[in-house]
Amino acid sequence: MSSETSPPAPLKEQTRNEAETPSSRLARFPAEAPLELDSGARLGPWQIAFETYGELNADRSNAVLVCHALTGDQYVASKNPVTGKPGWWELMVGPGKPVDTNHYFVICSNVLGGCLGTTGPATINPATGAPYGLDLPVVTIRDMVRAQARLIDHLGIDTLFAVIGGSMGGMQVLQWAASYPERVFSAVPIAAAARHTSQNIAFHEVGRQAIMADPNWRGGNYIQEGCRPTKGLAVARMAAHVTYMSDESLHQKFGRNLQDRDNLTFGFDADFQIESYLRHQGMTFVDRFDANSYLYVTRAMDYFDLADQFGGTLANAFTGTKTRFCVMSFTSDWLFPTSESRRVVKALNAAAANVSFVEIDSDRGHDSFLLDVPEMFQTIQGFITGTARARGLPAPGEEAGV
């Protein structure tokens, strides 16, 4: 098993091959060590791409796993090799940040089914020598967490100090706490839920149908045929992006303002700024994400129902847990509303878990967890500091044992 990639390829080739040979670190697992999936399939050989930040302490007790959302990646606090943009959560993770890499060893991996180095539909199927496409077994959130647990084993870490993530990342946090309670000292699910609602499944289905309706999708075989369903993927992204914002944030940012014109055109060009913005979001997204991966990862979210794994009672998922929880929601998030977070908190209370809950006042919708929301940073920093004391770790600005 290897844990490092070969030297980076030239930029053009590197961008093209990020799905197979990512710029990040890479752990490969042979066919003799397959990943058992919820579907009953055995995936092997397989690989998982990841980045790390900070230093692991001597007793390996300061590791923090950050779980990314639907279209995120392992580059949580470093430059994305495809887009060249800064890490997607550099506001949260880094030296002196709430998840302080001067004190904690941060791990972030690309999810199973993703497109930046972890086995997904764009990686090579060893049975055919071609990209998996739709031959990849359908994966679940629990499968993603199983893959992460294998990575944590590979890194020689027994217990994680914290698992933290928002949206789909928060789903992974809850799954970690349910599947491996003895390995998770603290858990921070943000803007998440223990299940995907029918409304959320509906939005995902619109996106998937847009992709599959694109003539260039070619039944999922577009890579082999030298084309890409960019129009369908762009529409899927546009539809999803609307759900990440609130009506108030859309109104404040765009209102009914016209785009580079004084009057309506009485046509179907982008008359309004919001139209132009969504088109831009769609077209830039296709440069960094694989269409089949979008199908797989949205499906994993749709299938997520933590209570269903435990006899239909959510509290059973946390029976006897010693994990410390900090559950967080945002007032204007209608995609993962506070009611879903309260459902998790109620189940944790029923299981007599150690849990704190905060609903943060924000008018920026579901995307609030990715934005500059001071109360969120203060809450997480306070929770992590208190948890570090309970763990016997020196928190930022403190000496060990204080």
Side-chain angles (χ1 to χ4, degrees):
M1 179 173 23
S2 170
S3 62
E4 300 295 335
T5 55
S6 55
L11 182 59
K12 188 173 181 181
E13 179 184 351
Q14 176 182 320
T15 300
R16 187 172 63 246
N17 292 332
E18 286 296 329
E20 187 70 26
T21 54
S23 302
S24 63
R25 299 176 66 185
L26 184 68
R28 292 189 176 96
F29 297 82
E32 299 76 34
L35 191 64
E36 307 280 348
L37 304 180
D38 278 348
S39 66
R42 291 160 61 91
L43 186 63
W46 63 282
Q47 63 188 42
I48 184 167
F50 65 103
E51 285 282 74
T52 64
Y53 310 85
E55 299 292 334
L56 191 61
N57 63 8
D59 61 2
R60 298 175 178 266
S61 62
N62 70 332
V64 176
L65 177 67
V66 174
C67 303
H68 71 72
L70 173 65
T71 64
D73 49 56
Q74 63 269 42
Y75 302 101
V76 61
S78 52
K79 186 171 73 172
N80 184 296
V82 175
T83 65
K85 293 183 178 180
W88 55 269
W89 223 10
E90 286 196 351
L91 289 170
M92 182 70 71
V93 178
K97 304 293 174 61
V99 182
D100 193 340
T101 52
N102 288 332
H103 294 265
Y104 307 111
F105 178 65
V106 175
I107 308 153
C108 185
S109 65
N110 188 216
V111 295
L112 192 69
C115 54
L116 278 184
T118 298
T119 296
T123 54
I124 299 300
N125 181 350
T128 65
Y132 271 105
L134 298 194
D135 288 336
L136 183 76
V138 170
V139 301
T140 65
I141 297 294
R142 184 158 54 177
D143 293 332
M144 294 174 181
V145 169
R146 285 192 185 104
Q148 292 164 354
R150 293 283 293 274
L151 171 63
I152 298 305
D153 290 340
H154 171 65
L155 295 175
I157 297 168
D158 181 40
T159 303
L160 292 163
F161 167 62
V163 184
I164 180 172
S167 192
M168 188 185 82
M171 290 179 167
Q172 295 165 64
V173 172
L174 292 171
Q175 186 70 65
W176 259 100
S179 294
Y180 305 101
E182 72 287 350
R183 302 192 69 175
V184 180
F185 190 78
S186 64
V188 187
I190 307 169
R195 63 181 178 183
H196 222 207
T197 65
S198 58
Q199 176 178 259
N200 291 348
I201 295 169
F203 280 116
H204 278 173
E205 178 61 3
V206 169
R208 287 190 293 264
Q209 288 300 317
I211 291 168
M212 292 188 284
D214 189 318
N216 283 337
W217 184 59
R218 309 290 175 90
N221 296 319
Y222 50 86
I223 295 177
Q224 298 94 305
E225 298 188 23
C227 57
R228 297 174 64 222
T230 54
K231 291 182 179 179
L233 181 58
V235 171
R237 176 61 172 180
M238 290 168 67
H241 197 77
V242 173
T243 71
Y244 303 151
M245 304 179 74
S246 68
D247 180 59
E248 180 64 22
S249 65
L250 285 169
H251 177 73
Q252 288 181 3
K253 192 168 186 177
F254 304 107
R256 290 180 53 83
N257 297 330
L258 299 181
Q259 176 70 26
D260 298 329
R261 63 201 63 191
D262 296 323
N263 299 293
L264 299 175
T265 64
F266 292 93
F268 297 99
D269 198 1
D271 276 4
F272 297 98
Q273 287 181 5
I274 182 58
E275 294 175 310
S276 179
Y277 171 76
L278 288 176
R279 293 183 187 190
H280 173 75
Q281 288 292 326
M283 292 315 299
T284 56
F285 181 66
V286 303
D287 294 333
R288 69 176 180 87
F289 212 83
D290 174 65
N292 282 338
S293 277
Y294 195 86
L295 303 183
Y296 275 81
V297 181
T298 56
R299 190 44 124 192
M301 292 184 73
D302 292 350
Y303 281 0
F304 186 62
D305 185 344
L306 193 56
D308 190 58
Q309 300 174 26
F310 292 88
T313 301
L314 185 56
N316 291 345
F318 309 113
T319 300
T321 185
K322 296 181 180 178
T323 303
R324 296 164 176 259
F325 291 84
C326 178
V327 180
M328 191 177 306
S329 69
F330 299 94
T331 53
S332 59
D333 184 353
W334 57 274
L335 190 64
F336 287 87
T338 293
S339 58
E340 291 296 324
S341 289
R342 289 191 185 279
R343 180 171 176 259
V344 172
V345 172
K346 183 178 179 181
L348 288 166
N349 285 332
N354 184 327
V355 55
S356 58
F357 167 66
V358 60
E359 180 186 31
I360 293 175
D361 188 9
S362 170
D363 61 8
R364 303 172 82 176
H366 182 62
D367 262 357
S368 293
F369 79 97
L370 295 171
L371 304 175
D372 186 3
V373 179
E375 187 179 349
M376 174 180 65
F377 301 140
Q378 293 162 9
T379 299
I380 291 176
Q381 191 161 30
F383 175 76
I384 288 179
T385 298
T387 304
R389 291 173 183 155
R391 178 75 162 170
L393 292 172
E398 300 180 351
E399 297 297 328
V402 176

mmCIF file of all heavy atoms in Angstrom, residues 281-308:
data_model
loop_
_atom_site.group_PDB
_atom_site.id
_atom_site.type_symbol
_atom_site.label_atom_id
_atom_site.label_comp_id
_atom_site.label_asym_id
_atom_site.label_seq_id
_atom_site.Cartn_x
_atom_site.Cartn_y
_atom_site.Cartn_z
ATOM 1 N N GLN A 281 -22.023 30.522 -12.237
ATOM 2 C CA GLN A 281 -21.820 29.425 -11.296
ATOM 3 C C GLN A 281 -21.838 28.079 -12.008
ATOM 4 O O GLN A 281 -21.031 27.192 -11.734
ATOM 5 C CB GLN A 281 -22.900 29.462 -10.206
ATOM 6 C CG GLN A 281 -22.750 30.594 -9.203
ATOM 7 C CD GLN A 281 -21.532 30.430 -8.321
ATOM 8 O OE1 GLN A 281 -21.130 29.317 -7.960
ATOM 9 N NE2 GLN A 281 -20.915 31.530 -7.968
ATOM 10 N N GLY A 282 -22.764 27.913 -12.913
ATOM 11 C CA GLY A 282 -22.874 26.657 -13.641
ATOM 12 C C GLY A 282 -21.667 26.375 -14.511
ATOM 13 O O GLY A 282 -21.114 25.268 -14.498
ATOM 14 N N MET A 283 -21.210 27.355 -15.261
ATOM 15 C CA MET A 283 -20.128 27.125 -16.205
ATOM 16 C C MET A 283 -18.766 26.976 -15.522
ATOM 17 O O MET A 283 -17.897 26.251 -16.013
ATOM 18 C CB MET A 283 -20.090 28.246 -17.246
ATOM 19 C CG MET A 283 -21.304 28.244 -18.178
ATOM 20 S SD MET A 283 -21.762 26.605 -18.821
ATOM 21 C CE MET A 283 -20.275 26.159 -19.731
ATOM 22 N N THR A 284 -18.560 27.654 -14.395
ATOM 23 C CA THR A 284 -17.286 27.468 -13.698
ATOM 24 C C THR A 284 -17.254 26.127 -12.966
ATOM 25 O O THR A 284 -16.196 25.527 -12.807
ATOM 26 C CB THR A 284 -17.019 28.605 -12.699
ATOM 27 O OG1 THR A 284 -18.118 28.713 -11.782
ATOM 28 C CG2 THR A 284 -16.841 29.924 -13.422
ATOM 29 N N PHE A 285 -18.409 25.641 -12.556
ATOM 30 C CA PHE A 285 -18.485 24.361 -11.853
ATOM 31 C C PHE A 285 -18.048 23.200 -12.739
ATOM 32 O O PHE A 285 -17.375 22.268 -12.280
ATOM 33 C CB PHE A 285 -19.911 24.135 -11.359
ATOM 34 C CG PHE A 285 -20.111 22.865 -10.597
ATOM 35 C CD1 PHE A 285 -19.495 22.663 -9.370
ATOM 36 C CD2 PHE A 285 -20.928 21.858 -11.092
ATOM 37 C CE1 PHE A 285 -19.675 21.492 -8.660
ATOM 38 C CE2 PHE A 285 -21.120 20.688 -10.385
ATOM 39 C CZ PHE A 285 -20.494 20.497 -9.166
ATOM 40 N N VAL A 286 -18.414 23.243 -14.008
ATOM 41 C CA VAL A 286 -18.103 22.112 -14.886
ATOM 42 C C VAL A 286 -16.612 21.956 -15.111
ATOM 43 O O VAL A 286 -16.155 20.885 -15.534
ATOM 44 C CB VAL A 286 -18.834 22.228 -16.247
ATOM 45 C CG1 VAL A 286 -20.338 22.333 -16.033
ATOM 46 C CG2 VAL A 286 -18.314 23.411 -17.066
ATOM 47 N N ASP A 287 -15.836 22.997 -14.832
ATOM 48 C CA ASP A 287 -14.385 22.910 -14.996
ATOM 49 C C ASP A 287 -13.715 22.120 -13.883
ATOM 50 O O ASP A 287 -12.568 21.705 -14.027
ATOM 51 C CB ASP A 287 -13.765 24.313 -15.051
ATOM 52 C CG ASP A 287 -14.177 25.102 -16.284
ATOM 53 O OD1 ASP A 287 -14.483 24.462 -17.314
ATOM 54 O OD2 ASP A 287 -14.200 26.343 -16.212
ATOM 55 N N ARG A 288 -14.420 21.930 -12.759
ATOM 56 C CA ARG A 288 -13.768 21.285 -11.617
ATOM 57 C C ARG A 288 -14.472 20.030 -11.113
ATOM 58 O O ARG A 288 -13.978 19.376 -10.204
ATOM 59 C CB ARG A 288 -13.649 22.274 -10.459
ATOM 60 C CG ARG A 288 -14.978 22.665 -9.795
ATOM 61 C CD ARG A 288 -14.744 23.569 -8.592
ATOM 62 N NE ARG A 288 -15.970 23.981 -7.916
ATOM 63 C CZ ARG A 288 -16.570 23.292 -6.956
ATOM 64 N NH1 ARG A 288 -16.062 22.130 -6.558
ATOM 65 N NH2 ARG A 288 -17.670 23.726 -6.382
ATOM 66 N N PHE A 289 -15.622 19.675 -11.711
ATOM 67 C CA PHE A 289 -16.360 18.541 -11.163
ATOM 68 C C PHE A 289 -16.803 17.597 -12.272
ATOM 69 O O PHE A 289 -17.106 18.015 -13.385
ATOM 70 C CB PHE A 289 -17.586 19.034 -10.380
ATOM 71 C CG PHE A 289 -17.951 18.145 -9.220
ATOM 72 C CD1 PHE A 289 -17.315 18.274 -7.996
ATOM 73 C CD2 PHE A 289 -18.925 17.165 -9.360
ATOM 74 C CE1 PHE A 289 -17.645 17.448 -6.933
ATOM 75 C CE2 PHE A 289 -19.265 16.338 -8.307
ATOM 76 C CZ PHE A 289 -18.620 16.478 -7.086
ATOM 77 N N ASP A 290 -16.847 16.317 -11.928
ATOM 78 C CA ASP A 290 -17.232 15.286 -12.874
ATOM 79 C C ASP A 290 -18.736 15.028 -12.792
ATOM 80 O O ASP A 290 -19.300 14.917 -11.699
ATOM 81 C CB ASP A 290 -16.464 13.995 -12.562
ATOM 82 C CG ASP A 290 -16.907 12.843 -13.413
ATOM 83 O OD1 ASP A 290 -16.713 12.914 -14.642
ATOM 84 O OD2 ASP A 290 -17.478 11.873 -12.871
ATOM 85 N N ALA A 291 -19.387 14.939 -13.930
ATOM 86 C CA ALA A 291 -20.842 14.789 -13.964
ATOM 87 C C ALA A 291 -21.304 13.496 -13.307
ATOM 88 O O ALA A 291 -22.281 13.479 -12.548
ATOM 89 C CB ALA A 291 -21.338 14.859 -15.409
ATOM 90 N N ASN A 292 -20.624 12.391 -13.591
ATOM 91 C CA ASN A 292 -21.023 11.127 -12.963
ATOM 92 C C ASN A 292 -20.820 11.165 -11.455
ATOM 93 O O ASN A 292 -21.617 10.593 -10.703
ATOM 94 C CB ASN A 292 -20.248 9.958 -13.566
ATOM 95 C CG ASN A 292 -20.782 9.535 -14.927
ATOM 96 O OD1 ASN A 292 -21.933 9.804 -15.266
ATOM 97 N ND2 ASN A 292 -19.951 8.874 -15.705
ATOM 98 N N SER A 293 -19.765 11.826 -11.003
ATOM 99 C CA SER A 293 -19.573 11.983 -9.562
ATOM 100 C C SER A 293 -20.749 12.715 -8.936
ATOM 101 O O SER A 293 -21.179 12.393 -7.823
ATOM 102 C CB SER A 293 -18.269 12.736 -9.246
ATOM 103 O OG SER A 293 -17.172 11.865 -9.266
ATOM 104 N N TYR A 294 -21.269 13.698 -9.663
ATOM 105 C CA TYR A 294 -22.433 14.434 -9.149
ATOM 106 C C TYR A 294 -23.611 13.474 -8.956
ATOM 107 O O TYR A 294 -24.336 13.550 -7.957
ATOM 108 C CB TYR A 294 -22.800 15.563 -10.100
ATOM 109 C CG TYR A 294 -23.733 16.582 -9.495
ATOM 110 C CD1 TYR A 294 -23.241 17.651 -8.764
ATOM 111 C CD2 TYR A 294 -25.114 16.474 -9.636
ATOM 112 C CE1 TYR A 294 -24.098 18.585 -8.179
ATOM 113 C CE2 TYR A 294 -25.974 17.396 -9.067
ATOM 114 C CZ TYR A 294 -25.461 18.451 -8.331
ATOM 115 O OH TYR A 294 -26.307 19.369 -7.758
ATOM 116 N N LEU A 295 -23.805 12.555 -9.883
ATOM 117 C CA LEU A 295 -24.871 11.564 -9.741
ATOM 118 C C LEU A 295 -24.658 10.707 -8.499
ATOM 119 O O LEU A 295 -25.587 10.483 -7.709
ATOM 120 C CB LEU A 295 -24.928 10.655 -10.971
ATOM 121 C CG LEU A 295 -25.127 11.299 -12.348
ATOM 122 C CD1 LEU A 295 -25.223 10.217 -13.418
ATOM 123 C CD2 LEU A 295 -26.372 12.174 -12.380
ATOM 124 N N TYR A 296 -23.441 10.226 -8.327
ATOM 125 C CA TYR A 296 -23.146 9.301 -7.230
ATOM 126 C C TYR A 296 -23.236 9.966 -5.860
ATOM 127 O O TYR A 296 -23.792 9.401 -4.921
ATOM 128 C CB TYR A 296 -21.757 8.682 -7.426
ATOM 129 C CG TYR A 296 -21.773 7.471 -8.326
ATOM 130 C CD1 TYR A 296 -21.797 7.604 -9.708
ATOM 131 C CD2 TYR A 296 -21.783 6.189 -7.796
ATOM 132 C CE1 TYR A 296 -21.827 6.503 -10.546
ATOM 133 C CE2 TYR A 296 -21.811 5.070 -8.620
ATOM 134 C CZ TYR A 296 -21.836 5.228 -9.996
ATOM 135 O OH TYR A 296 -21.882 4.129 -10.820
ATOM 136 N N VAL A 297 -22.685 11.155 -5.747
ATOM 137 C CA VAL A 297 -22.626 11.782 -4.423
ATOM 138 C C VAL A 297 -24.000 12.304 -4.011
ATOM 139 O O VAL A 297 -24.376 12.203 -2.838
ATOM 140 C CB VAL A 297 -21.547 12.887 -4.399
ATOM 141 C CG1 VAL A 297 -21.468 13.516 -3.022
ATOM 142 C CG2 VAL A 297 -20.183 12.304 -4.762
ATOM 143 N N THR A 298 -24.774 12.814 -4.967
ATOM 144 C CA THR A 298 -26.138 13.225 -4.603
ATOM 145 C C THR A 298 -26.960 12.010 -4.200
ATOM 146 O O THR A 298 -27.781 12.080 -3.281
ATOM 147 C CB THR A 298 -26.843 13.972 -5.750
ATOM 148 O OG1 THR A 298 -26.850 13.170 -6.936
ATOM 149 C CG2 THR A 298 -26.169 15.306 -6.033
ATOM 150 N N ARG A 299 -26.745 10.879 -4.859
ATOM 151 C CA ARG A 299 -27.477 9.668 -4.508
ATOM 152 C C ARG A 299 -27.116 9.204 -3.099
ATOM 153 O O ARG A 299 -27.985 8.750 -2.340
ATOM 154 C CB ARG A 299 -27.192 8.566 -5.527
ATOM 155 C CG ARG A 299 -28.082 7.346 -5.410
ATOM 156 C CD ARG A 299 -29.527 7.736 -5.207
ATOM 157 N NE ARG A 299 -30.428 7.183 -6.182
ATOM 158 C CZ ARG A 299 -31.675 7.596 -6.315
ATOM 159 N NH1 ARG A 299 -32.134 8.571 -5.543
ATOM 160 N NH2 ARG A 299 -32.473 7.059 -7.190
ATOM 161 N N ALA A 300 -25.835 9.327 -2.748
ATOM 162 C CA ALA A 300 -25.411 8.950 -1.391
ATOM 163 C C ALA A 300 -26.147 9.786 -0.346
ATOM 164 O O ALA A 300 -26.585 9.266 0.690
ATOM 165 C CB ALA A 300 -23.905 9.121 -1.249
ATOM 166 N N MET A 301 -26.296 11.082 -0.604
ATOM 167 C CA MET A 301 -27.036 11.932 0.320
ATOM 168 C C MET A 301 -28.503 11.515 0.401
ATOM 169 O O MET A 301 -29.098 11.457 1.478
ATOM 170 C CB MET A 301 -26.930 13.403 -0.102
ATOM 171 C CG MET A 301 -25.545 14.001 0.045
ATOM 172 S SD MET A 301 -25.521 15.766 -0.365
ATOM 173 C CE MET A 301 -26.347 16.478 1.068
ATOM 174 N N ASP A 302 -29.095 11.205 -0.757
ATOM 175 C CA ASP A 302 -30.505 10.804 -0.780
ATOM 176 C C ASP A 302 -30.755 9.556 0.058
ATOM 177 O O ASP A 302 -31.790 9.433 0.716
ATOM 178 C CB ASP A 302 -30.954 10.526 -2.217
ATOM 179 C CG ASP A 302 -31.002 11.769 -3.081
ATOM 180 O OD1 ASP A 302 -30.874 12.877 -2.536
ATOM 181 O OD2 ASP A 302 -31.144 11.627 -4.304
ATOM 182 N N TYR A 303 -29.833 8.613 0.012
ATOM 183 C CA TYR A 303 -29.994 7.349 0.721
ATOM 184 C C TYR A 303 -29.778 7.481 2.228
ATOM 185 O O TYR A 303 -30.107 6.571 2.979
ATOM 186 C CB TYR A 303 -29.018 6.309 0.177
ATOM 187 C CG TYR A 303 -29.436 5.652 -1.115
ATOM 188 C CD1 TYR A 303 -30.632 5.987 -1.753
ATOM 189 C CD2 TYR A 303 -28.630 4.690 -1.722
ATOM 190 C CE1 TYR A 303 -31.001 5.376 -2.943
ATOM 191 C CE2 TYR A 303 -28.999 4.065 -2.902
ATOM 192 C CZ TYR A 303 -30.191 4.412 -3.509
ATOM 193 O OH TYR A 303 -30.556 3.799 -4.685
ATOM 194 N N PHE A 304 -29.230 8.614 2.660
ATOM 195 C CA PHE A 304 -28.859 8.734 4.076
ATOM 196 C C PHE A 304 -30.093 8.835 4.962
ATOM 197 O O PHE A 304 -30.927 9.727 4.813
ATOM 198 C CB PHE A 304 -27.972 9.957 4.282
ATOM 199 C CG PHE A 304 -27.423 10.081 5.676
ATOM 200 C CD1 PHE A 304 -26.584 9.110 6.199
ATOM 201 C CD2 PHE A 304 -27.747 11.171 6.474
ATOM 202 C CE1 PHE A 304 -26.069 9.220 7.483
ATOM 203 C CE2 PHE A 304 -27.236 11.290 7.753
ATOM 204 C CZ PHE A 304 -26.398 10.310 8.258
ATOM 205 N N ASP A 305 -30.197 7.906 5.911
ATOM 206 C CA ASP A 305 -31.242 7.907 6.930
ATOM 207 C C ASP A 305 -30.681 7.149 8.123
ATOM 208 O O ASP A 305 -30.753 5.930 8.194
ATOM 209 C CB ASP A 305 -32.523 7.253 6.408
ATOM 210 C CG ASP A 305 -33.683 7.346 7.391
ATOM 211 O OD1 ASP A 305 -33.432 7.641 8.584
ATOM 212 O OD2 ASP A 305 -34.836 7.109 6.979
ATOM 213 N N LEU A 306 -30.089 7.888 9.050
ATOM 214 C CA LEU A 306 -29.363 7.273 10.158
ATOM 215 C C LEU A 306 -30.289 6.445 11.046
ATOM 216 O O LEU A 306 -29.915 5.369 11.505
ATOM 217 C CB LEU A 306 -28.647 8.353 10.974
ATOM 218 C CG LEU A 306 -27.604 7.883 11.990
ATOM 219 C CD1 LEU A 306 -26.524 7.037 11.327
ATOM 220 C CD2 LEU A 306 -26.975 9.090 12.695
ATOM 221 N N ALA A 307 -31.489 6.923 11.289
ATOM 222 C CA ALA A 307 -32.425 6.173 12.135
ATOM 223 C C ALA A 307 -32.735 4.813 11.527
ATOM 224 O O ALA A 307 -32.860 3.810 12.249
ATOM 225 C CB ALA A 307 -33.713 6.975 12.331
ATOM 226 N N ASP A 308 -32.849 4.766 10.201
ATOM 227 C CA ASP A 308 -33.183 3.511 9.520
ATOM 228 C C ASP A 308 -32.130 2.433 9.764
ATOM 229 O O ASP A 308 -32.438 1.240 9.744
ATOM 230 C CB ASP A 308 -33.338 3.773 8.022
ATOM 231 C CG ASP A 308 -33.915 2.578 7.284
ATOM 232 O OD1 ASP A 308 -35.025 2.148 7.641
ATOM 233 O OD2 ASP A 308 -33.241 2.059 6.371
#
